[in-house]
Amino acid sequence: MESAVLVDTDWSTSAEGKKHIAASKCFHANSANVSCGLLELPSTLLSSNLGGRDAIPKLMKYKVLACSPMGKVGKTSLVAKLCGNPTPKKHLETPGLVGHIRYWPVKVKSSGEILYFQIMLFEYGPSAEKNHPNITKLALDGCEALLVAFSLTNKNSFDMLPDYIASMKDKFVNVCSADFPPDVAVVGTHADLVQQIEVSQQDVASLKQDFPVYRMKCVSSNANVPSIALPTKEDETKRTVDSEVVSFLNSLCNMLLLRDKAALQI
């Protein structure tokens, strides 16, 4: 499944792009990456750090839900990785509905405009519905994209995807009044466990006819995943960003941008 590319993917590795990516995390002085709080903004979205109000990039806000047809597929590690946080060292069941905020800058190919995406990334586990009857409505209300995770090392989690995605779309129609259902991106985790992979490339290729499918290394502390060095000041801790994360977030923002293409006149 292919779609139009509105985002300049090469921009993220340019000097300008890396400067904005460095500013898109709410870094604290001399510390590692930390997630932004609800009331925090990246420095580039604050007028005091730019040359005037008109220079502030446009902020695009989207709600994204990470979910999976079964537990223990690496969904929580995936979310942690996308948010630039350490991945859990052992499996922990997601306690209800958990929210995160990730800011991500992109440049629009056609206009050269820089946009900042505020991705409100929520996750909940398959067992959460049993313990919290109203959690599905809370999770899906206002949701613009689903990140559906499966494990490349668990064929059952892959085989469950078509029915699970259809059921999530049905639930969205039943509990929400929005005009457009959420877009879907499928993420295969545990790509670094090569010897344990059960899902074939042919399986993934067949699914790609209906949904965009991505592969992520989430287990081995980002082993063998190239990183991009970000600009820092002399007294600051060295900062990098995972190249897999860069590629995926650009694709996610492109998918979200396509939803609003007409309204934004892109």
Side-chain angles (χ1 to χ4, degrees), residues 155-171:
K155 186 64 159 56
N156 288 336
S157 69
F158 177 83
D159 292 338
M160 294 170 68
L161 287 174
D163 290 342
Y164 178 75
I165 293 172
S167 70
M168 290 297 287
K169 287 186 173 182
D170 288 342
K171 290 175 183 177

Side-chain angles (χ1 to χ4, degrees), residues 76-91:
T76 297
S77 294
L78 169 66
V79 170
K81 179 170 179 170
L82 294 179
C83 292
N85 299 325
T87 57
K89 294 183 179 180
K90 62 180 180 178
H91 174 260

Side-chain angles (χ1 to χ4, degrees), residues 100-119:
H100 314 262
I101 291 181
R102 176 74 203 231
Y103 289 92
W104 190 252
V106 301
K107 175 174 277 191
V108 180
K109 290 177 66 175
S110 59
S111 65
E113 181 181 11
I114 296 173
L115 303 175
Y116 268 64
F117 283 71
Q118 184 195 70
I119 301 172

